[in-house]
């Protein structure tokens, strides 16, 4: 058991290393496969032995071997987070279709969150294909692979999730803009919520929005108090939506039974 957990963690950390490449390159419209890894500052190529997830960051003490510029701790953190989430999903779902789908979904959420934190953009190149992938996974789950965990939605629930996720926020953003004359929620958040609906089904939308709003308010107020920033402090919303979707992924059935009594 401990061997398989270690293997899943290592697998997650390796994928996390690739997610770091996506986070760094997608906002600049760069390819995520070529050129090979290089230092973002001095452009020196990174040898394979300096590119081992988690370990390399530690033994290089967070610096580029060539130019000694500090490497962002984000690299270490994303590898650790992806490894830990892979283990959490594995302990919940075992080696199953649900595990594969939820891990792909989680990886997309990680990339979107860190790009939004970095440059305040929810990348369409992840969210739009994500909507299609989520729908396709629900169709495959429905017809080919059993989902013993009731996590993967029916194709209909997935489709309604896309419509509600996209439509609800689109309507809210439109009303907010009409009333206040200010751009509210970004279009990127709307596509992200449609992707969440595609992967988790429509009941996930209100739960995700609720958790995201609570987390966003608590952390937003906390930051305003801590930094003394005024009400103009604009937090990126996508990481909160992603956190809400992840919490739903693990505790959705319990949360749903709170507002949708069992039939
Ligand atoms: Zn360098």
């Amino acid at each position: 058991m401990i061997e398989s957990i270690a293997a899943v963690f290592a697998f997650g950390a390796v994928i996390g290393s690739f997610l770091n490449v996506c986070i760094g390159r997608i906002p600049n419209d760069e390819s995520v496969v070529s050129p090979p890894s290089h230092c973002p500052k001095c452009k020196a190529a990174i040898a394979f032995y300096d590119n081992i997830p988690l370990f390399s960051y530690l033994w290089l003490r967070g610096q580029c071997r060539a130019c000694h510029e500090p490497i962002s701790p984000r690299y270490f953190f994303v590898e650790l987070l992806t490894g830990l989430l892979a283990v959490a999903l594995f302990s919940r779902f075992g080696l199953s279709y649900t595990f594969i789908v939820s891990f792909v979904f989680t990886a997309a959420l990680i990339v979107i969150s860190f790009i939004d934190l970095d440059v305040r953009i929810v990348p369409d190149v992840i969210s739009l294909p994500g909507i299609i992938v989520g729908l396709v996974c629900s169709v495959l789950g429905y017809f080919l692979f059993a989902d013993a965990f009731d996590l993967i939605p029916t194709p209909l629930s997935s489709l309604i999730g896309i419509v509600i996720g996209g439509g609800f926020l689109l309507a809210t953003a439109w009303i907010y803009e009409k009333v206040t004359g200010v751009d509210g929620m970004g279009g990127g958040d709307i596509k992200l919520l449609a992707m969440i609906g595609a992967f988790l089904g429509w009941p996930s939308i209100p739960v995700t929005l609720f958790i995201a709003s609570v987390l966003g308010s608590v952390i937003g107020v906390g930051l305003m108090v801590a930094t003394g920033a005024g009400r103009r402090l604009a937090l990126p919303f996508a990481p909160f939506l992603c956190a809400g979707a992840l919490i739903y992924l693990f505790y959705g059935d319990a949360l749903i039974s709170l507002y949708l009594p069992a039939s």
Side-chain angles (χ1 to χ4, degrees), residues 39 41-44 64 66-69:
C39 168
K41 279 154 194 141
C42 71
K43 312 289 177 210
C64 167
C67 68
H68 301 289
E69 277 290 322

